[in-house]
């Protein structure tokens, strides 16, 4: 497993939050979970269900009596807070914090991110043990994220910063664009049909033809698209053969 | 309220998921929620509680019988999917999709993002109505995000792309760094004290002094820091006056 930041929950209380934190970590490839003095005991009833399959994260979680014990081996620690703390700490948004984390981890550092109690977050003393603060760019009129959502956003940004955010699939490159020859044949076929139908006002014909060719180019038609369009035109033509040409 | 992408939930079932979606939207400044054929009726018991204060999003939500009706006014539609759909659709990660969305919205377009059913997502027919697919850069061994988490990530990336992701506070600029004069005074005070204590091996003195000055520079000491350090040194000096100097 490649090195990744450690997630530290300080005095977490609800089984659901811890379980959903484990799941959010698993979603983005984090696995080192440390719990500091969980409220009302550990393990907790219901936490495995809330982890929805991410029980490997729970099984590997370590429990610590104090925060200094939980962070002893780390060389860099971020504290997540929503409010200014009156400390001269560097503050970063999650993307910048995780970009820094990726750099540090690439140099062999051990980096942790601390998350506080569900209702009141981290104490000022706990924040003072951190190198820097991470805060989330939430709307000022609705700033409250729950614990697992905060962990999710940090995990997401970690994955992006570590260059692990790759599209699992792409749709756009599965068929070759049509050759210029095929496109020109389509254009000429279509224009001949529209000429025969008297579609173009003579004084506007050149501009309309040019715009339509431009539009067809912008469709990035594949070979199959061109064949389909030409087949449709031929089918329409086939019908017209049995009717007198429209008067121009 | 500034224009922002529309969130479309297709056949959502659980009140908790819809409520948490509303909360995730409010966290990141989204407010236009459209529900297509909610399963088992609407409104749903428990949805307002799950919205945790984001009831304004629920109150403004519109309900539609069909997807085409829900998306009629949009000029661009993204479909969130985890699996490849065998369609030649452009695929983007959330950051690229929201960067594109921000550009389109700045040009007056109306952009929507579709999210599917809790268990099975969107149908292929529903995906085919979209301009492009958005997929999340989750770990391959644990790819499953719940509905509200997917909405949260899209909202987060929207806010970043729209230039709205600003740090609500900064900590780093609240006091002036110390002047060079103050720093030099500290250096000389410290070095004199260490000379008196016989701390430096003569052949290494220059290198040790230089390294220590370098380290003190890297601390980015403020005026107050320098005063505190000098006060501490003076207090230690005060004690030493009453003791004979250590033999060198």
């Amino acid at each position: 497993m490649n090195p990744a930041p450690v997630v530290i929950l300080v005095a977490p209380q609800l089984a659901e939050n811890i379980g959903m934190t484990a799941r959010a970590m698993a979603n983005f490839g984090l696995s080192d979970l440390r719990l500091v003095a969980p409220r009302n005991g550990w393990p907790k009833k219901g936490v495995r269900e809330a982890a929805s399959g991410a029980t490997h994260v729970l099984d590997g979680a370590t429990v610590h009596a104090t925060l200094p014990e939980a962070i002893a081996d780390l060389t860099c620690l971020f504290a997540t807070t929503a409010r200014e703390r009156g400390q001269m700490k560097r503050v970063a948004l999650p993307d910048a914090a995780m970009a820094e984390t990726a750099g540090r981890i690439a140099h062999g550092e051990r980096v942790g991110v601390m998350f506080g109690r569900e209702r009141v977050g981290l104490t000022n003393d706990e924040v003072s043990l951190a190198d820097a603060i991470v805060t989330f760019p939430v709307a000022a009129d609705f700033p409250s994220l729950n614990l697992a959502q905060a962990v999710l956003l940090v995990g997401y940004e970690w994955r992006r910063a570590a260059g692990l955010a790759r599209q699992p699939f792409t749709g756009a490159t599965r068929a070759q664009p049509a050759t210029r020859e095929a496109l020109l044949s389509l254009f000429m076929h279509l224009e001949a049909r529209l000429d025969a139908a008297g579609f173009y006002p003579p004084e506007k014909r050149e501009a309309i033809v040019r715009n339509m060719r431009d539009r067809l180019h912008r469709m990035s038609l594949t070979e199959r698209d061109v064949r389909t369009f030409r087949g449709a035109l031929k089918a329409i033509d086939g019908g017209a053969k049995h009717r007198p040409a429209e008067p121009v």
Side-chain angles (χ1 to χ4, degrees), chain A:
Chain A
M1 169 79 68
N2 287 334
V6 173
V7 170
I8 301 140
L9 302 189
V10 178
Q13 184 160 1
L14 299 176
E16 181 175 351
N17 287 335
I18 301 173
M20 288 175 60
T21 287
R23 177 180 176 170
M25 288 174 66
N27 282 136
F28 290 111
L30 301 179
S31 59
D32 193 337
L33 175 62
R34 302 181 187 183
L35 308 177
V36 178
R39 303 273 314 268
N40 307 334
W42 178 262
K44 291 178 182 291
K45 193 159 138 62
V47 71
R48 296 183 81 80
E49 291 78 1
S52 292
T55 47
H56 61 291
V57 175
L58 293 177
D59 292 338
T62 52
V63 182
H64 306 265
T66 67
L67 179 57
E69 185 198 305
I71 60 175
D73 63 324
L74 303 179
T75 57
C76 177
L77 179 64
F78 289 96
T80 56
T81 84
R83 294 172 292 110
E84 226 238 285
R85 295 307 189 103
Q87 298 179 27
M88 277 206 54
K89 285 236 188 290
R90 195 159 50 85
V91 179
L93 291 173
D95 48 358
M98 289 302 104
E100 177 184 335
T101 296
R104 289 179 181 266
I105 284 180
H107 283 96
E109 288 200 45
R110 289 174 299 282
V111 182
V113 187
M114 272 197 291
F115 299 82
R117 301 154 188 76
E118 284 94 331
R119 288 172 60 79
V120 299
L122 297 167
T123 65
N124 285 340
D125 283 347
E126 289 158 354
V127 171
S128 78
L129 294 179
D131 293 76
I133 282 172
V134 181
T135 192
F136 298 93
V138 286
D141 57 352
F142 210 88
S144 166
L145 291 172
N146 74 33
L147 178 55
Q149 288 174 329
V151 174
L152 189 85
L153 289 172
V154 168
Y156 168 77
E157 282 293 12
W158 154 252
R159 205 158 167 79
R160 282 184 67 239
L164 298 167
R166 294 192 202 91
Q167 285 175 198
F169 56 90
T170 66
T173 56
R174 289 176 58 228
Q176 290 291 325
T179 59
R180 305 298 95 180
E181 176 187 17
L183 278 177
L184 270 170
S185 295
L186 172 62
F187 295 164
M188 294 187 341
H189 188 161
L190 177 62
E191 287 151 20
R193 187 65 190 86
L194 291 172
D195 271 325
F199 174 72
Y200 303 111
E203 73 284 1
K204 294 187 184 175
R205 184 186 184 279
E206 200 179 321
I208 295 177
V209 162
R210 195 163 46 236
N211 284 343
M212 199 171 284
R213 287 192 179 197
D214 180 50
R215 192 171 301 132
L216 287 162
H217 267 119
R218 278 187 281 126
M219 287 182 190
S220 302
L221 297 168
T222 63
E223 292 279 338
R224 186 162 78 169
D225 293 333
V226 170
R227 284 199 301 274
T228 305
F229 270 121
R230 293 200 70 182
L233 277 175
K234 284 193 182 116
I236 294 169
D237 272 349
K241 285 199 180 64
H242 303 294
R243 291 196 310 269
E246 296 289 325
V248 174

